[in-house]
Amino acid sequence: MFRHDSPEEAAFRSAARTWLEANLPMALRGRTNRPPPAELMPWYRTLSGKGWIAPHWPKEYGGMGATLNEQIIMAEELARVGAPQLPAQGLNHIGPILIEFGTAAQKAKHLPPIIAGEVIWAQGYSEPGAGSDLASLATRATLAGDRFTVQGQKIWTTWGHHSHWMFALVRTDPRAEPRHAGISFLLLDLHSPGVTIRPIRTIAGDDEFSEVFFDNVAVPAENLVGKLNDGWRIANALLGHERLGTSNPQFALIALERIKTMARATGVLADPGFRDRLAAASIGVTALLALFNHAVELTNLQRSLGPDASIIKIYGTELLQSLNDLLLEAAGSDAAMANPVATNFGEVDVSTPFLQVRRATIYGGSSEIQRNIVARRVLNLPQ
Amino acid sequence: MFRHDSPEEAAFRSAARTWLEANLPMALRGRTNRPPPAELMPWYRTLSGKGWIAPHWPKEYGGMGATLNEQIIMAEELARVGAPQLPAQGLNHIGPILIEFGTAAQKAKHLPPIIAGEVIWAQGYSEPGAGSDLASLATRATLAGDRFTVQGQKIWTTWGHHSHWMFALVRTDPRAEPRHAGISFLLLDLHSPGVTIRPIRTIAGDDEFSEVFFDNVAVPAENLVGKLNDGWRIANALLGHERLGTSNPQFALIALERIKTMARATGVLADPGFRDRLAAASIGVTALLALFNHAVELTNLQRSLGPDASIIKIYGTELLQSLNDLLLEAAGSDAAMANPVATNFGEVDVSTPFLQVRRATIYGGSSEIQRNIVARRVLNLPQ
Amino acid sequence: MELHLTSEQTLLRDSAAKFSAAAGPQVARAWRGREPNFAPERLREAGELGWLGMLVPSAADGLGLGLTELALVLEQAGRGLVCEPIGLAAIAAAALAQGRAPHPMLQRAMRGEALVVPAMQESAHGGDPLAPATRAADNGRTPRLTGTKVSVCAGGAAGFLISAAGPDGPALYYVPRDAPGVHVAAAPTVEGRKLATLTLEAAPADIVPPRRSSRSAVEALTDLALVALSAELLGVMQGAQELTFAYLRIRKQFGKPIGSFQALQHKAVDIYIKTETTRSLLYQIAAANDPYRIDPELAVAVKAKASEDALAVTQACIQLHGAIGFTDEHDIGLYLKRAMLLSSLFGNAAAQRRRYAGIAGLAM
Amino acid sequence: MELHLTSEQTLLRDSAAKFSAAAGPQVARAWRGREPNFAPERLREAGELGWLGMLVPSAADGLGLGLTELALVLEQAGRGLVCEPIGLAAIAAAALAQGRAPHPMLQRAMRGEALVVPAMQESAHGGDPLAPATRAADNGRTPRLTGTKVSVCAGGAAGFLISAAGPDGPALYYVPRDAPGVHVAAAPTVEGRKLATLTLEAAPADIVPPRRSSRSAVEALTDLALVALSAELLGVMQGAQELTFAYLRIRKQFGKPIGSFQALQHKAVDIYIKTETTRSLLYQIAAANDPYRIDPELAVAVKAKASEDALAVTQACIQLHGAIGFTDEHDIGLYLKRAMLLSSLFGNAAAQRRRYAGIAGLAM
C-alpha cells in the first residue's frame, strides 16, 4: 500500500510465495493457536533446510542476511499463506543477543541448533513478584568457583514446557542500587537437575506459557553472557525490535479479513451501522501499516526508534483488541462458541482470537507501562 | 419514564406548565447563552412574584417548601418551555448555607434580597493557584478588632461582574495543618473599596466568569459565617446537591432534541450509521435519567449520596460532551458556524453548546478530581 | 449506589446471595462442558425457594412478585457465576402462567423439576423477534411448528417456548423436547454450557396464550428475556469488579499496591461507573414496569447497555489483573466468558441499538 | 516519530516553520471576523517562496514538487494557525495547471496575487463529490453553470474552481467571482473566517481539463483537498499538543507539576499517539502518491482519521489545561476552533467513512 517492491524484491517475493504454497502443509495453515512442537517443528526444519528460517541473521551464522525489506516480504508471504507462528525466542531474541554479545564459544555452541530447529529456547524474565516492575526480580544466581547456583522462579515463560534452554535475567548482586545494576544474563539448560516446569493454561485454551522453578540449579560460569551484573543492558539492547515484531500489521490484516468473512456469513455486513465501524477499523489498520512502514524506514536508516517503539506496541495491540471486539459483534449470538463456527464462507474461529488478544496489551510490557515510558522518555513529562 | 406523578404532583405540573407558557417572554426561550441581567432579572422577579423562585427553600424564608419531586417537576417544566438559567449562587448555594449555618442577623439581611432578585451573589472559591487543589487557596483575611482585611484574588467567579455580593473561602490561619483547617467562610460586599472585577470571556463567546481582586478590602467581622477556620466544612456541607444539580438530565434531553433537529435538517438522520450512534446516545440519556431518579429516591429517603454523587457528575457531563460531539457530526460542514444555523426545522445553534460544554468536565471539580474522589472514598483504593 | 429496597426484598437478595455464594467460580469451572452443565438438585432448590415462580401470579400458585425481585435474584446469580438457568426457567414459568388456565407444565417448571427454556431467536443477530419465520400450521387440532431456532440454552431442557407465525399472527407455543419433529444440535461455548440449534419439522405444539395485560405473549417473553439477561449481566459486572478491586488493593509492584496508581484508579472508576449506571437503569426499569408488559424501548435499552458494558468491564478487569488475568487458573476470565455468552443472546448490543432506533422512532 | 526527509525538504520545512512562527495564535486572533481574514501580502510572500505553485509542474513554471512538500508546508501552517489559505491556493493552482495549456489565472494564482479556491461541496455532509448536482450547460461557446455550492472559503477569493456535471460527465470549471450570475452569501465561523454559499445562475465558466495522469480533474482536486486539509489538521494537533505538554510541565497543583500525575500523563500519551499515527499515515500517503492521482481510498482514510483525531486531541488539550483552557484569552481554544472548521470541510470524519466503505468495497 505504501511501499513498492524493487525488481529484486519482487522476484524474491514471487519465489517465496511459490515455494511456501508448495511446501507449507495444509494442516498448518490458518491455525489460531500455535501447533504443538511435534506438528510445528518439522515445518521449522523445512524452512531451515531451504535456508529461510532466519532472514535477519547474518549469513555466517546460518541466516539469510536479508535486508529489512526482504524480512518484511518474508513475513508478509508467511502471513498470506496462513503459516503458523514459529517459536521465536531463539530466532528473534537469544540469537541476535548472542551474535552481538556472546563469546565465540557461546555462538558456536548455541547458534547452529537454533537454525537447525534442534533446540527451542525460552525467555526467563518475568517473575511472580516482578512483572511490570521487572527490575525487582528475585531469582538468585550465586557464583562460586566455576559455577552459578540458581534459586528462584520464572513465570509467563512462552513455551517453557516445550523448551530445552532458557536465557534468563538473574540477580547476582542483591545489594546493588539501582536494583537493575545487580542483574546478570544467564543461559540455563532446562534439563538440569532442580528445574521444574509447569504449563499454564490460558483463557483461550492454549498453553503458551509456563512457570519454571529453579531449586539449586547448577549453571557453568561460562553460561554468563556479557559481564557480571550487566544483564539489564543486554536484555534491553534489542527491545525495540521486539516491539516492532509484536505489532506486525499482518495480525491486524488477518483479523480484518476474519471480521469480513464473519459479517458476510451472519449478514451484518449489510448493515451500514456495522459498516461504519468496519470502515473505522479498516482505516485504523491502514494507519498501523503506515506507522509500521514509517518505523521500518527509520530502522533502515539505522536510526533507532528509541522509546517511540512503545507507541507502535500500544497502537497495534489496542487496535487488535478493537478488531476482535468487532469480530465478536459480527458473530452475533455465535460470539461465545468455543469452536470455529461453520459458515457458508468457511469456518471462522471467533472466541479463540478474541480471548488470545487479551494478552497482547499485557505481555511484553503492558499498555500502562508503555504509556509511562512514552510520558517520561518521549514527552519528557516530570516524574 | 421512570417516575409517575401523584395526582397532587400532576396538578402542580399542570399549573406550572400553564403559568410558564403564559408568562415566560418568547425572547428568553431556548437561549444557549445565559442572557445578561437586564434581560434576565425581570423574569427572575416575575417568578419571585409568583412565589416560585425558590422551590427548595423553606416557606419561612420565602421559598415554596416544595418536595424534591416538586422541585424536579419545576425543573422539568422550566426546561420544557426553554427557560434560561437563572443566577444560582444565591438560590442554590449561599441561601441554603445561610439557612443552615447563618446567624439570625445574616439570614434577615441576606435572604430576602435573594428571593426578591435584588442581590446577585458570586461564589469565591477558586484561585489562580488553587483550582483542583482548592485547599491551597491563598487569599488572606486578617482579623483585627471588628473587621477582616482581605487581600488576594479569586477566579472563575460565575457572573462575578454582575454580582453584588460574594461568599468566599479565605485563609485565616496560614500556619494551620492540614491546610484546609485554616480556612474561613466570609461574605463580601463587592462594592467595597479595594475590589476590582474583570470579566473573562470564554471560548463559547459568553462572559460567564470573572476574576475578582481584593486589595486590602475591609469586611465587618459579622460577615463571618460559622466559626473562624471552619469554612471548609461549611463549603463542603451541601456539595452533593450541587453535583446533582449540574447533572440534571434536562440538559441532556435538550441536547438530544437539538441533535435530532440538526440531523433531520442535514439529512444524516437517514444514515443508519448515524442512527446507531444516536441510539447509543439516547440510551445513554435514558441511563442518566435512571441514575438521576435513583439519586433522587435516595435523597428523598434522607440518605446522603456521599461521594457517589461524583459519578453522576462524571457520567452526566461526559455524556453531555459526547452528545455535543454528535451534534457537531450531525451539522456536517455547518459544524463551525458561529451563529445559529437556519434550517427547515428552525434555527439550531451548534457551536455554542459544543463549546460551552467543554467547561462541564472542568468546573465544579474536574472529571479527574471526581475520579480521584471515587477511587479513594467509594472504592477504597489505597493512596 | 445503594438500592431502595423493602425489607422483604432485602431478605430475598440476601437469600439469593447465599445461594450464589455456594456456587462461585470454582463450581462454574467444575461444570464446564458437562451436559447439562448444572446441578438439577440446585434448580429444584431454586424452585423450592419460590424463585422459579416468582413472577407467576398468586392465582397460579406463584409468588406474584415483580421485576425488582427477579433482578435481585438474577444479579446474585450473575455475580456468583451460578450455572443453574434460573432466569430462563423463571421467565418461562411466567410465560406458561399466561392465559386463563396455566399450561400443564407450569407446576413442574415452577418446582424446578422440568426445565423449560425460551427458543425465540432465529438468526445470529436476532432479527425482529416479533416477526418469527417459524411457521405454525393449524391442521384443525394441534398446531404444528416448522422452522429453526438458534442459540438455544437447551441443556437439560424438557421443553421449549417457541415463537412462531400462527394463523392469527405471531404467537407463543410450547413444544416438548421429545416431541416428534424436534431435533436439537448442540455445540459448546467458551463459558461451559452448550448452545443448540433447534430444528422443528411439523412438531406438535400447544399454544400459550398471552396474559391480558400483555401486548402479545411473544413480546412479553422477549422483553422479559432482555431484562433477565441484563440483570445477570449486571451481576457478572458486579462480581468481576469486586474481584478486581480486591486485587488492586493487595497486588504490589514498584513497592506499592497497584491500586494506588492513578491511571489504574481511574480505570477502576470507569468500571464502577459502567456497573452503577447499568444498575440504576435496570432497577428503575424494574420498579416502573409490569413483568408482563415492559416498555420495549426500555427492555432493548437496558440489554444494549448491559451487553456493551459487561464486555467492556470484564475486559478491563482482565487488563487490571495483568498476566494472571489471562490464565485459565484465575477466575476473572470466567466472568468475561459469561459476559460473552449473555451479551450475545437475544441480540447483542448492536442488534439492540438497531431495534431501539426503530422503537424509539429515531428515524422520524 | 522523526520523518525521513531530504535536505531540500528539511530546508522547506524550516522555512515554513519560520513563516508560521510569524503568525501564531495572537495574529490569528487579530484577524478574526475580518474580511478577508488574512494578510494579502503574506499570501504574496507565500507565492514568492514558491509554495502556491509547489505542485505545479515545472513546465508551467511551478516547482513540480510532491505531496510530501505540500504536507510539510501545510503542517506548519496548521501548527502556527496561519490564516492565509495557502493550502486551498496551492491545490487550486495545481488544478489550474492541468491540461495542455494552463489556465490564464495560473500565473497570478501562483504568485498569490489572485486567490482561487475550490468550491466543490454541495451539502453539509459532502455527498458524492464525484457526482455534482451543479449543471454545466454548453450552449456552443461558453459553458454556463447553475447550482449551489456550500461551505466555500470565499474570503478574498477572486475566483472559484467548481465541479459540475457537464456534457461529458463531471468536470471542473473556473468561474470568476465577479462573473454574472455568481452570488456569494457568507456567514461567520467560530474560527474567524467566513464560509459562503455560492449560488450560480447560468454563470459563464471556463472548463479546466484534467492532467493526463488523473482519472478526472474533479477527482484529482477532491483527493488533493482531502490530503491538504489533513496536513493542516495534523499541524493543528501538533501545535495544540506542544502548548499542552509545555503547560503540563509548568502548571502546579498539590505541590507538583500536573504533568507528573499518571492519569494526565496517559492522556498526554493518547494525544501523542493520535498525532503520530496521523503523521505516519499522512506522510506515507504523501510519499507513495502522485499529487494528480492520489489513491482515493487513502485520501478519504487520512481525512477521516485526521478529522476525528484533531477534534479529539484539541478537546483533550482543553481538558488538560483545566479552567484556563475554556477561556478565550488562552490560545488552546483557537486550536479546537480551527479543528472544528477543517474537520468539517469536504465531509467530516463520518462522511469520509461512508465514502470509504464504498471505495474500499466493504459491503461486498
Side-chain angles (χ1 to χ4, degrees):
Chain A
M1 185 167 271
F2 300 115
R3 214 184 46 79
H4 301 288
D5 291 345
S6 69
E8 294 75 26
E9 287 167 354
F12 173 64
R13 184 187 295 279
S14 166
R17 184 173 300 184
T18 309
W19 187 87
L20 289 170
E21 279 292 1
N23 289 279
L24 177 61
M26 280 297 163
L28 287 177
R29 301 186 188 197
R31 299 273 284 258
T32 41
N33 280 325
R34 198 198 304 250
E39 277 189 82
L40 188 57
M41 294 312 286
W43 163 239
Y44 188 113
R45 287 186 281 267
T46 305
L47 263 174
S48 182
K50 176 70 179 170
W52 284 357
I53 194 66
H56 52 305
W57 286 26
K59 284 195 173 151
E60 57 179 306
Y61 299 114
M64 280 172 71
T67 64
L68 194 48
N69 283 354
E70 286 165 343
Q71 293 170 36
I72 290 165
I73 289 169
M74 192 59 141
E76 286 171 356
E77 292 305 317
L78 282 164
R80 191 184 163 280
V81 74
Q85 272 195 270
L86 297 173
Q89 303 295 346
L91 291 169
N92 293 347
H93 294 135
I94 189 59
I97 284 174
L98 288 180
I99 290 169
E100 176 116 7
F101 301 101
T103 61
Q106 286 170 340
K107 292 182 200 181
K109 176 172 179 185
H110 294 297
L111 296 181
I114 294 174
I115 292 292
E118 289 158 4
V119 166
I120 299 175
W121 281 82
Q123 182 194 69
Y125 289 0
S126 294
E127 298 183 3
S132 291
D133 182 15
L134 190 55
S136 71
L137 62 86
T139 296
R140 286 281 299 275
T142 316
L143 183 59
D146 62 353
R147 67 180 212 184
F148 290 96
T149 304
V150 178
Q151 180 73 28
Q153 180 191 352
K154 294 292 176 180
I155 196 169
W156 317 124
T157 312
T158 304
W159 261 35
H161 50 299
H162 296 313
S163 297
H164 310 97
W165 278 78
M166 170 184 278
F167 56 99
L169 290 177
V170 290
R171 184 159 300 285
T172 38
D173 179 355
R175 276 174 303 271
E177 278 296 336
R179 293 172 305 169
H180 64 249
I183 290 172
S184 296
F185 195 106
L186 215 53
L187 308 179
L188 298 126
D189 183 341
L190 292 175
H191 297 111
S192 309
V195 174
T196 315
I197 306 181
R198 192 181 69 85
I200 301 173
R201 200 168 175 79
T202 76
I203 53 172
D206 53 33
D207 50 2
E208 273 279 292
F209 305 99
S210 345
E211 278 183 296
V212 184
F213 301 87
F214 301 98
D215 185 13
N216 281 316
V217 175
V219 177
E222 70 200 37
N223 285 7
L224 177 71
V225 179
K227 298 209 180 96
L228 198 68
N229 297 324
D230 197 27
W232 190 257
R233 187 180 66 88
I234 292 170
N236 282 285
L238 305 172
L239 264 188
H241 269 83
E242 186 189 353
R243 300 226 170 97
L244 212 53
T246 55
S247 300
N248 191 320
Q250 298 308 318
F251 299 117
L253 287 167
I254 291 169
L256 198 58
E257 285 310 311
R258 197 180 280 131
I259 296 167
K260 287 186 202 168
T261 306
M262 196 70 219
R264 218 172 270 133
T266 59
V268 78
L269 198 58
D271 169 37
F274 178 82
R275 274 213 302 276
D276 183 69
R277 285 187 281 282
L278 183 57
S282 180
I283 291 168
V285 174
T286 306
L288 180 64
L289 284 163
L291 189 64
F292 187 77
N293 212 43
H294 186 175
V296 167
E297 266 177 27
L298 294 179
T299 310
N300 262 331
L301 292 164
Q302 306 295 333
R303 297 190 203 167
S304 164
L305 289 183
D308 260 329
S310 287
I311 73 165
I312 307 183
K313 180 176 193 255
I314 299 171
Y315 189 75
T317 56
E318 293 183 355
L319 177 67
L320 210 49
Q321 291 189 339
S322 69
L323 287 166
N324 277 285
D325 289 345
L326 201 56
L327 176 64
L328 222 62
E329 182 189 328
S333 59
D334 285 333
M337 300 318 291
N339 300 325
V341 179
T343 79
N344 290 341
F345 302 88
E347 288 202 335
V348 185
D349 196 346
V350 177
S351 62
T352 309
F354 174 83
L355 290 168
Q356 273 175 343
V357 82
R358 292 308 108 212
R359 66 181 84 142
T361 51
I362 296 172
Y363 68 8
S366 70
S367 288
E368 289 77 20
I369 293 295
Q370 304 292 348
R371 283 189 168 81
N372 288 348
I373 293 171
V374 176
R376 296 194 186 142
R377 295 182 51 206
V378 182
L379 309 188
N380 295 311
L381 293 177
Q383 287 247 247
Chain B
M1 185 167 270
F2 300 115
R3 212 183 47 79
H4 301 287
D5 292 346
S6 70
E8 295 74 26
E9 288 167 354
F12 173 65
R13 184 188 294 280
S14 164
R17 184 173 301 183
T18 309
W19 187 87
L20 289 171
E21 279 291 0
N23 289 278
L24 176 61
M26 280 298 164
L28 287 177
R29 301 188 188 197
R31 299 270 286 257
T32 41
N33 278 325
R34 198 198 303 251
E39 276 190 83
L40 187 57
M41 293 313 286
W43 163 239
Y44 187 111
R45 288 186 282 267
T46 305
L47 264 173
S48 183
K50 177 70 182 169
W52 285 358
I53 194 66
H56 53 304
W57 286 27
K59 283 196 174 149
E60 55 179 308
Y61 300 114
M64 281 172 71
T67 65
L68 194 48
N69 283 354
E70 286 165 343
Q71 294 171 36
I72 290 165
I73 288 169
M74 191 59 142
E76 287 173 355
E77 292 304 317
L78 282 164
R80 192 184 162 278
V81 74
Q85 273 195 270
L86 297 173
Q89 301 296 345
L91 292 168
N92 293 348
H93 294 134
I94 188 61
I97 283 174
L98 287 180
I99 290 168
E100 178 117 8
F101 301 101
T103 62
Q106 285 170 341
K107 291 183 199 179
K109 177 172 180 186
H110 294 298
L111 296 181
I114 294 174
I115 292 292
E118 288 157 6
V119 166
I120 298 175
W121 281 83
Q123 182 193 70
Y125 289 0
S126 294
E127 299 183 3
S132 291
D133 182 16
L134 190 56
S136 72
L137 60 87
T139 295
R140 285 283 297 275
T142 316
L143 183 61
D146 62 353
R147 65 179 216 184
F148 290 96
T149 304
V150 178
Q151 180 73 28
Q153 179 191 353
K154 294 291 175 180
I155 195 168
W156 316 125
T157 311
T158 304
W159 259 37
H161 51 300
H162 297 314
S163 297
H164 310 97
W165 277 79
M166 170 184 276
F167 56 98
L169 291 176
V170 291
R171 184 159 300 285
T172 39
D173 181 355
R175 279 175 301 271
E177 277 298 334
R179 292 172 306 168
H180 64 249
I183 289 172
S184 296
F185 194 106
L186 215 53
L187 309 179
L188 300 126
D189 183 342
L190 292 176
H191 297 110
S192 310
V195 174
T196 315
I197 306 182
R198 191 181 70 83
I200 300 172
R201 200 170 175 78
T202 76
I203 52 172
D206 54 33
D207 48 2
E208 274 279 293
F209 306 98
S210 347
E211 276 184 297
V212 183
F213 301 88
F214 302 97
D215 186 13
N216 282 315
V217 175
V219 177
E222 68 200 40
N223 286 7
L224 178 72
V225 179
K227 300 210 180 97
L228 199 68
N229 296 325
D230 197 26
W232 190 257
R233 187 180 66 88
I234 293 171
N236 281 286
L238 304 172
L239 265 189
H241 269 83
E242 186 191 353
R243 297 224 172 100
L244 212 52
T246 54
S247 300
N248 191 319
Q250 298 308 319
F251 300 117
L253 287 167
I254 291 170
L256 198 57
E257 286 311 310
R258 196 180 280 130
I259 296 167
K260 287 185 200 166
T261 307
M262 196 71 220
R264 218 173 270 132
T266 59
V268 78
L269 199 58
D271 170 35
F274 179 83
R275 276 214 300 277
D276 183 69
R277 283 187 283 281
L278 183 58
S282 180
I283 291 167
V285 174
T286 306
L288 179 65
L289 283 164
L291 189 64
F292 187 76
N293 213 43
H294 187 176
V296 167
E297 266 177 26
L298 295 179
T299 310
N300 263 329
L301 293 165
Q302 308 294 335
R303 298 190 201 164
S304 163
L305 288 182
D308 260 330
S310 288
I311 73 165
I312 308 183
K313 185 186 188 247
I314 298 171
Y315 190 73
T317 55
E318 293 184 355
L319 176 67
L320 209 49
Q321 291 190 338
S322 70
L323 287 166
N324 277 284
D325 288 346
L326 201 56
L327 175 64
L328 223 62
E329 182 188 330
S333 59
D334 285 332
M337 301 318 291
N339 300 325
V341 179
T343 80
N344 289 341
F345 302 87
E347 287 201 335
V348 184
D349 196 346
V350 176
S351 62
T352 309
F354 174 84
L355 289 168
Q356 273 176 343
V357 82
R358 292 308 109 213
R359 67 181 83 142
T361 51
I362 296 172
Y363 68 8
S366 71
S367 288
E368 289 75 22
I369 293 295
Q370 305 291 350
R371 283 189 167 81
N372 289 348
I373 293 171
V374 176
R376 297 197 184 138
R377 295 183 50 206
V378 182
L379 309 188
N380 295 312
L381 294 177
Q383 287 245 249
Chain C
M1 297 192 299
E2 193 186 351
L3 291 173
H4 169 214
L5 300 178
T6 64
S7 51
E8 290 81 5
Q9 287 170 336
T10 306
L11 282 173
L12 176 66
R13 180 178 62 182
D14 294 347
S15 153
K18 214 172 129 192
F19 184 92
S20 164
Q26 291 314 317
V27 174
R29 200 187 300 279
W31 280 105
R32 287 197 292 193
R34 290 165 67 176
E35 178 67 23
N37 83 321
F38 62 88
E41 69 277 13
R42 291 256 300 166
L43 190 66
R44 286 197 296 274
E45 188 188 336
E48 279 157 27
L49 288 161
W51 298 347
L52 306 185
M54 66 190 330
L55 297 179
V56 171
S58 48
D61 298 334
L63 298 185
L65 297 172
L67 291 174
T68 301
E69 286 81 3
L70 181 75
L72 288 169
V73 169
L74 296 184
E75 183 191 340
Q76 294 305 321
R79 178 167 168 248
L81 296 177
V82 166
C83 289
E84 291 71 34
I86 294 172
L88 296 177
I91 66 173
L96 290 169
Q98 298 179 111
R100 293 189 168 222
H103 190 275
M105 279 301 287
L106 175 62
Q107 288 302 326
R108 293 184 57 217
M110 273 169 61
R111 287 199 298 268
E113 290 167 10
L115 177 64
V116 177
V117 295
M120 319 271 282
Q121 210 178 321
E122 298 190 338
S123 77
H125 287 281
D128 181 355
L130 307 188
T134 297
R135 299 271 134 200
D138 195 345
N139 62 357
R141 221 167 34 107
T142 303
R144 290 190 172 269
L145 307 190
T146 301
T148 303
K149 298 288 176 180
V150 302
S151 305
V152 180
C153 298
F160 306 102
L161 283 166
I162 288 172
S163 54
D168 305 318
L172 195 64
Y173 298 86
Y174 174 75
V175 177
R177 187 193 192 111
D178 55 9
V182 175
H183 180 68
V184 181
T189 69
V190 290
E191 184 262 6
R193 80 187 73 180
K194 291 178 179 172
L195 285 185
T197 297
L198 213 64
T199 317
L200 304 157
E201 291 174 43
D206 306 330
I207 193 159
V208 177
R211 195 167 163 78
R212 206 183 307 166
S213 62
S214 302
R215 277 171 301 263
S216 87
V218 172
E219 188 166 346
L221 184 52
T222 300
D223 292 340
L224 205 43
L226 297 179
V227 171
L229 287 164
S230 301
E232 207 169 331
L233 281 163
L234 171 65
V236 170
M237 291 158 78
Q238 176 66 32
Q241 82 174 21
E242 285 172 15
L243 211 57
T244 304
F245 297 164
Y247 188 75
L248 289 176
R249 289 183 204 108
I250 56 154
R251 167 74 174 169
K252 286 189 180 179
Q253 289 279 277
F254 303 103
K256 296 197 287 187
I258 60 172
S260 66
F261 290 101
Q262 197 190 26
L264 303 197
Q265 289 187 343
H266 285 203
K267 279 189 190 196
V269 173
D270 289 339
I271 287 170
Y272 179 72
I273 290 174
K274 286 191 167 73
T275 306
E276 291 308 304
T277 48
T278 300
R279 186 189 312 284
S280 290
L281 182 56
L282 176 73
Y283 282 100
Q284 290 290 322
I285 291 173
N289 285 270
D290 172 348
Y292 286 98
R293 189 186 176 90
I294 302 171
D295 180 345
E297 179 179 325
L298 293 175
V300 164
V302 70
K303 178 62 165 62
K305 181 164 168 61
S307 299
E308 181 171 337
D309 286 357
L311 280 175
V313 160
T314 50
Q315 287 180 50
C317 285
I318 287 182
Q319 180 73 22
L320 287 175
H321 273 83
I324 193 84
F326 62 68
T327 65
D328 187 51
E329 288 164 31
H330 196 275
D331 295 334
I332 191 66
L334 299 178
Y335 288 89
L336 171 61
K337 289 176 176 179
R338 182 65 62 100
M340 286 167 74
L341 179 74
L342 299 178
S343 66
S344 77
L345 294 178
F346 283 77
N348 61 18
Q352 302 302 338
R353 289 198 304 272
R354 270 191 294 276
R355 276 194 73 203
Y356 182 89
I359 295 171
L362 296 186
M364 287 180 300
Chain D
M1 298 192 299
E2 193 188 352
L3 291 174
H4 169 215
L5 300 177
T6 64
S7 50
E8 289 81 6
Q9 288 169 335
T10 305
L11 281 174
L12 176 66
R13 179 177 64 182
D14 294 347
S15 152
K18 213 171 131 194
F19 184 91
S20 165
Q26 292 313 318
V27 174
R29 200 186 299 279
W31 281 105
R32 287 198 290 193
R34 289 164 69 177
E35 179 65 26
N37 83 322
F38 61 88
E41 69 276 13
R42 292 256 300 167
L43 190 66
R44 286 195 298 274
E45 189 188 334
E48 278 158 28
L49 289 160
W51 298 347
L52 305 186
M54 69 192 324
L55 297 180
V56 171
S58 48
D61 298 334
L63 297 185
L65 298 172
L67 290 173
T68 301
E69 285 81 3
L70 181 75
L72 288 170
V73 169
L74 296 183
E75 183 191 340
Q76 293 305 319
R79 177 168 168 246
L81 297 176
V82 166
C83 289
E84 291 71 34
I86 294 171
L88 297 177
I91 66 174
L96 289 169
Q98 296 178 111
R100 291 186 171 225
H103 190 276
M105 280 299 289
L106 175 62
Q107 288 302 325
R108 293 184 57 217
M110 274 169 58
R111 287 199 298 268
E113 290 165 10
L115 178 64
V116 177
V117 296
M120 319 272 282
Q121 211 179 321
E122 297 190 341
S123 78
H125 287 283
D128 181 354
L130 307 188
T134 298
R135 299 269 133 200
D138 196 345
N139 63 356
R141 220 167 33 110
T142 304
R144 288 187 174 271
L145 307 191
T146 301
T148 303
K149 297 289 177 178
V150 302
S151 305
V152 181
C153 298
F160 305 102
L161 283 166
I162 289 172
S163 53
D168 305 317
L172 194 64
Y173 297 87
Y174 174 76
V175 177
R177 188 192 192 112
D178 56 8
V182 175
H183 179 70
V184 180
T189 67
V190 289
E191 184 262 6
R193 82 186 71 180
K194 292 178 178 171
L195 285 183
T197 297
L198 212 66
T199 316
L200 303 157
E201 292 174 45
D206 307 330
I207 194 160
V208 178
R211 195 167 163 79
R212 204 183 309 168
S213 61
S214 304
R215 278 171 299 263
S216 86
V218 172
E219 186 165 346
L221 184 53
T222 300
D223 293 339
L224 204 44
L226 296 178
V227 171
L229 286 164
S230 302
E232 208 169 330
L233 282 162
L234 171 64
V236 170
M237 293 158 78
Q238 176 67 31
Q241 82 172 22
E242 286 173 14
L243 211 56
T244 304
F245 297 163
Y247 188 76
L248 289 176
R249 288 184 205 109
I250 57 153
R251 166 75 174 168
K252 286 191 178 178
Q253 289 280 278
F254 303 102
K256 296 197 287 188
I258 60 173
S260 67
F261 290 101
Q262 197 189 26
L264 303 197
Q265 288 187 342
H266 285 202
K267 281 190 189 195
V269 172
D270 288 339
I271 286 170
Y272 179 72
I273 290 174
K274 286 191 166 71
T275 306
E276 291 309 303
T277 48
T278 300
R279 187 189 312 285
S280 289
L281 181 57
L282 175 72
Y283 283 100
Q284 289 291 321
I285 291 173
N289 285 270
D290 172 348
Y292 286 97
R293 191 188 175 89
I294 303 170
D295 180 344
E297 180 179 326
L298 293 175
V300 163
V302 71
K303 178 63 166 61
K305 182 164 168 59
S307 299
E308 182 171 337
D309 286 356
L311 280 175
V313 160
T314 50
Q315 287 180 50
C317 286
I318 286 182
Q319 180 73 23
L320 287 174
H321 273 84
I324 193 82
F326 61 69
T327 64
D328 187 51
E329 290 164 29
H330 195 276
D331 295 333
I332 191 68
L334 300 178
Y335 288 89
L336 170 60
K337 290 176 176 180
R338 182 65 63 98
M340 286 168 73
L341 178 76
L342 299 178
S343 66
S344 77
L345 293 178
F346 282 77
N348 61 18
Q352 303 302 338
R353 290 198 303 271
R354 271 192 292 277
R355 276 193 72 202
Y356 182 89
I359 295 171
L362 297 186
M364 289 179 300

